[in-house]
Amino acid sequence: MTSTFHVRGGRRLDGEITVRGAKNLVSKAMVAALLGEGPSTLRSVPDIRDVQIVSELLSIHGVKIERDVDAGVIRMDPSAVERAHVADIDAHAGSSRIPILFCGPLLHRLGEAIIPDLGGCRIGDRPINYHLDVLRSFGAVVDKREFGIYITAPSGLRGAKIHLEYPSVGATEQVLLTAVRAKGITELSNAAVEPEIEDLIAVLQKMGAIISLQTDRTITIEGVPHLSGYEHVAIPDRIEAASWACAALVTQGSVFIRDAQQKPMSTFLNTFRKIGGGMEITDDGIRFFHPGTELRSIAVETDVHPGFMTDWQQPLVVALTQAGGISIVHETVYENRLGFTDALNEMGAQIQVYRECLGGSSCRFGRRNFNHSAVVSGPTTLRAADITVPDLRGGFSYLIAALGAEGVSTIRGIDLIDRGYELFREKLTALGAEYWEGDA
Ligand code: EPU
């Protein structure tokens, strides 16, 4: 598969696509399977590279995987979990941050865990300090070695009272995946409460865990000695759905997204409506369309759930280049998630980034040297350009910009998009986009 993509912009996206399970739930539910004494079956699994990476990581730890890619079903049998070689973990984990979440389950199953250098999208420093602090709270011993980090639990893992400085999604998942089988009660305050986390809690409850989620971001987990396998249908991918919704808007099109769900997307839907986007919400999915009149500017701030997701920000910024007036975007989750706007400016957008917290509240990044606020002036005509994908969501945003631009754009490194957008080439074709691959 080549990684250079050419898109002839200016065609309306029109038609229907389907979204399957959320990347950011599926990968964690797969890790949870490690905790079961019997096999687990996960359905609505998307055909994305992150699923392949987690499958390989599970396989090298002795989990037997059977996958029907077309049907979206994955069966994981962890009855013969074993230690993996560092070199193998390294080789398979290179481009993902998921290995850090293997720690709790592996400590329970094997008494040790190894974490190589972590990858993931380059959208900030992406440290793992919360994860290591969490593991230490449970009694794990963290040892830095030349190959990465070696973690053991000489006295077993015990429930703990943990407060997160920031409601990190990954750190909350780390607590859940470790606490469910730790001895005693764990109380986590300032937890992340994203719908994907609630779905992970549902998975763990099916396995036999005892978890309660209070309305004040507190999660209480009573450890149990044994967990079984589970059967679960993953929550649909609300980031993918919102990305295609923005593509519909930028191309003046109309896209029905089968299986997109209203509730987890509620904040996005409010924003989409405020800028003038059209939508029809049905039991089977949501149709997003351009209303035929000029879009309106907006001030928006990303935040943890129930706020406006950081992963929706990049596609939305492309849509805001088509809105009349000045829009303000304040990114408060990642310190470095606006770098992709340089390429949009090359395409004719007018976006300026600032270090100051613009819009709503001041955030952790205020008065530091992070360009984390953007002012978008619109509407602007986008022109084709030769651009390189910077990260997963930024990459899809370039695709959206190219679809809405005049002329033929070249997008390099397109395979990064395969990490999180299943069958996007087929979906583009189904919606009538004109593109081709190759160096020519
Ligand atoms: N953070 C720390 N220390 C840590 C962990 C996080 O300082 O140990 C900081 C991060 O640097 C960031 C903030 O806390 O500034 C929030 O990070 P969080 O831990 O919530 O993010 P994550 O778990 O690493 C997941 C998703 C991201 C999504 C974020 C926020 C997965 C695999 N990734 O990342 O998704 O943006 O939550 O919702 O679930 C994507 O899908 O493209 C993506 C980047």
Side-chain angles (χ1 to χ4, degrees), residues 48 57 68 94 145 154 184 186 189 204 228 249 257 286 324 359 390 395:
I48 53 175
L57 284 168
D68 181 335
R145 302 265 175 97
T186 296
S189 50
L204 292 167
S228 60
L249 214 48
I257 306 181
I286 306 176

Side-chain angles (χ1 to χ4, degrees), residues 249-312:
L249 214 48
V250 171
T251 63
Q252 315 240 334
S254 170
V255 177
F256 180 71
I257 306 181
R258 185 165 294 282
D259 292 341
Q261 280 181 0
Q262 176 184 12
K263 279 194 227 155
M265 294 188 72
S266 168
T267 307
F268 176 82
L269 299 178
N270 285 337
T271 303
F272 195 83
R273 181 163 280 157
K274 281 196 227 170
I275 65 174
M279 69 183 83
E280 273 165 25
I281 304 170
T282 73
D283 290 343
D284 300 326
I286 306 176
R287 186 165 83 88
F288 294 94
F289 57 94
H290 192 285
T293 48
E294 189 174 85
L295 302 176
R296 296 185 288 273
S297 56
I298 194 175
V300 66
E301 177 168 271
T302 65
D303 205 350
V304 294
H305 189 76
F308 190 90
M309 286 186 94
T310 171
D311 304 285
W312 291 330

Side-chain angles (χ1 to χ4, degrees), residues 23-25 27-28 50 97-98 121 123-132 166-171 173 192 194 239 304 309-311 332-335 337 364-365 392-393 419:
K23 158 175 117 38
N24 292 348
L25 172 275
S27 46
K28 327 300 170 61
D50 269 19
R97 278 172 65 80
I98 296 295
C121 283
I123 50 182
D125 258 358
R126 305 200 75 184
I128 55 168
N129 55 324
Y130 299 163
H131 293 261
L132 300 182
Y166 184 80
S168 147
V169 168
E173 292 160 344
E194 268 59 10
I239 308 176
V304 294
M309 286 186 94
T310 171
D311 304 285
T332 77
V333 180
Y334 289 109
E335 69 275 26
R337 213 174 196 181
R364 301 174 290 153
F365 311 133
L392 176 62
R393 307 297 168 194
R419 269 196 52 208

